């Protein structure tokens, strides 16, 4: 018998629009319904320094200022989620970044809206790979 691979961890953020519109419970419900484990969860206000580090790979791009302002506009629910292939699995649950084309049944397809602004409020963030997950978890949950 072979050993099961170690579970992955990812960072999930329910962005200010998701918190403001009351979607935290639904996002967490979908994560747990998929069989993933919540390792750490915290509702917090992200400061500019944390967000600058979180979005460091986008530094200098024209959208970063507006994105940081949006992410500072209200509380964010940060969660460390664990499970087999959780990075890929959560990104599938989240759906396409653009809520207009996100498939029905996904978090963004069901809960996010394109408000017609340059900045798309799309309810959630999920790490895009193992390296970014490790970096992002260390930023948001340094004690883990």
């Amino acid at each position: 018998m072979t050993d099961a691979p170690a579970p992955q961890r990812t960072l999930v953020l329910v962005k200010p629009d998701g918190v403001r519109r009351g979607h935290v419970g639904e996002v967490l419900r979908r994560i747990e319904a998929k069989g993933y484990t919540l390792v750490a969860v915290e509702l917090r206000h992200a400061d500019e320094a944390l967000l600058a580090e979180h979005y460091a790979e986008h530094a200098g791009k024209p959208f970063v200022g507006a994105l940081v302002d949006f992410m500072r506009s209200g509380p964010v629910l940060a969660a460390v989620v664990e499970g087999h292939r959780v990075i890929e699995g959560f990104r599938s649950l989240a759906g396409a970044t653009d809520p207009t084309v996100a498939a029905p049944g996904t978090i963004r397809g069901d809960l996010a809206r394109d408000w017609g602004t340059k900045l798309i409020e799309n309810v959630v963030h999920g790490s895009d790979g193992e390296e970014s997950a490790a970096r992002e978890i260390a930023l948001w949950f340094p004690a883990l």
Side-chain angles (χ1 to χ4, degrees):
M1 178 177 267
T2 61
D3 292 330
Q8 283 183 329
R9 286 186 173 180
T10 192
L11 180 76
V12 171
L13 301 176
V14 180
K15 296 178 180 183
D17 60 316
V19 174
R20 187 170 35 254
R21 294 178 57 224
H23 295 314
V24 168
E26 178 62 15
V27 171
L28 295 178
R29 184 197 69 75
R30 290 178 188 218
I31 289 168
E32 290 186 320
K34 187 74 172 173
Y36 299 134
T37 301
L38 298 171
V39 174
V41 177
E42 182 180 341
L43 185 66
R44 64 191 290 191
H45 288 269
D47 63 29
E48 195 165 342
L50 171 62
L51 293 168
E53 286 191 60
H54 181 86
Y55 292 113
E57 70 272 16
H58 300 300
K61 294 181 181 172
F63 63 85
V64 173
L67 180 57
V68 169
D69 288 346
F70 163 62
M71 291 295 289
R72 292 183 62 215
S73 71
V76 174
L77 184 92
V80 177
V81 180
E82 184 175 85
H84 178 67
R85 295 175 63 192
V86 70
I87 295 168
E88 177 184 10
F90 178 75
R91 291 179 67 83
S92 179
L93 278 176
T97 302
D98 180 346
T100 300
V101 299
T106 65
I107 292 167
R108 292 175 178 143
D110 294 347
L111 306 177
R113 290 183 50 196
D114 181 346
W115 296 93
T117 62
K118 290 183 180 181
L119 182 65
I120 296 173
E121 297 181 2
N122 62 6
V123 180
V124 292
H125 161 83
S127 304
D128 65 4
E130 289 188 26
E131 286 182 25
S132 63
R135 183 181 66 79
E136 291 172 359
I137 290 168
L139 287 172
W140 289 83
F141 292 93
L144 287 183

